[in-house]
Amino acid sequence: MITSASSPQQQTIRLSNVCKSYGNYPVLKNIDAEVARGEVVVICGPSGSGKSTLIRTINRLEEISSGSITLDGQDIHAEKRTKELNLLRSRIGFVFQNFNLFPHLSVVENVTISPIRVKGVAPDVAHERALKLLDRVGLAEKAGAYPGQLSGGQQQRVAIARALAMEPPVMLFDEPTSALDPEMVGEVLAVMKGLAAEGMTMLCVTHEMGFAREVADRIWFIDAGQILEIAPPEEFFKNPRHPRAQRFLTDLR
Ligand code: ADP
Ligand code: MG
C-alpha cells in the first residue's frame, strides 16, 4: 500500500514539525510523520508520552503551538472558518477511550445525530444508514436501547458506528479497548480489524500489541513527546532500533 508516500494522492495525513506545549511544558516535539491512504498506524509508547495529545491534535480537539497538520493537503489548524473546519473535522472519525456517547439519546439517535445536524442528511435516510452500521458492528437489535443499558464493549461498538456514520476517510482511535473488561476487548478489536481489512485509513493508540502485530502497517513509537521510531510491526517487535523502544518492549513482557 505504501508506495511513494510523498505523492499527494498517497498521503492522507501529514504532520510537519508539530510542537505543542502546555505552558512551558513541551508535550509534542517536532513531530514529522505521515499516514498513507489505506494505511493502519499503531501509535505506542509509555503512559504520559503524548499519544493522546498527538492523536487529538489531528482533528483539532487540541490546538498546536507550531507546525502544521494537513488532511489531503488541507491545513487543519490554519482553517479559521467554522463551517469549513467542521466539514474537515467530520472527515476524521474519532473513537474515545470512554466511548463518549450521548446518554440521553438512544443508540440509533447517537448514530444519526451528526449526519443530520452537521451534514444535513434527511432523518429517514440517516436512520436507515444507522441501522445498517449498527448491523455491521453486530448491534442491530440494540437500536432502541440507551447507552446506559449496554455493556462497555457494546457502547464502544456504537461509538465506532457513530463515527462511521459521517463516512470519514480516516478514523482515529485513542485506546478504544482500555476501559473495557478483558472479555469485551475482542469484539471491539474485531470491528477495527474489519475496518482495516476494508481499507480504512486508521491511526490507533493502543496497548494491544497482538492487534498491532496483526493489523498495523507501521508502528510509531513515541516517548517524551517525540517519535523515536517508525517501523513495520515485524521489524519493530523483533528488532527495535531505539534503546527506549527496546526497553518499552522488554517492560511489556
Ligand atoms: P499519553 O496519552 O501518552 O498517556 P498524554 O498525551 O495524555 O499522554 O499526555 C502527555 C503529557 O501531557 C503528560 O505529561 C500529561 O500529564 C500532559 N498533559 C496532558 N493533557 C494536559 C493538559 N490539559 N494540561 C497540562 N498537561 C497535560
Ligand atoms: Mg492517552
Side-chain angles (χ1 to χ4, degrees), residues 97-196:
Q97 184 174 348
N98 292 307
F99 332 130
N100 287 15
L101 295 174
F102 301 111
H104 58 292
L105 296 181
S106 70
V107 162
V108 71
E109 285 165 345
N110 265 278
V111 181
T112 58
I113 186 166
S114 289
I116 293 171
R117 293 241 180 118
V118 180
K119 274 188 154 177
V121 175
D124 53 336
V125 174
H127 189 86
E128 204 172 305
R129 284 188 196 155
L131 294 180
K132 285 202 185 112
L133 283 169
L134 288 170
D135 189 42
R136 182 167 158 193
V137 299
L139 291 171
E141 80 287 3
K142 297 290 183 189
Y146 283 80
Q149 300 169 312
L150 303 182
S151 72
Q154 290 172 330
Q155 289 190 57
Q156 193 60 298
R157 286 185 282 147
V158 174
I160 293 172
R162 178 179 63 173
L164 291 174
M166 294 298 277
E167 302 179 303
V170 174
M171 288 280 285
L172 310 179
F173 296 84
D174 190 2
E175 298 204 29
T177 60
S178 295
L180 302 178
D181 291 334
E183 70 269 24
M184 290 167 191
V185 169
E187 66 198 48
V188 171
L189 292 180
V191 171
M192 292 170 66
K193 282 178 199 172
L195 277 177

Side-chain angles (χ1 to χ4, degrees), residues 15 44 86 89 150 164 188 213-214 234 246:
L15 299 107
C44 63
N86 284 341
R89 290 174 108 169
L150 303 182
L164 291 174
V188 171
R213 271 173 203 273
E214 193 183 328
E234 54 274 19
Q246 291 165 5

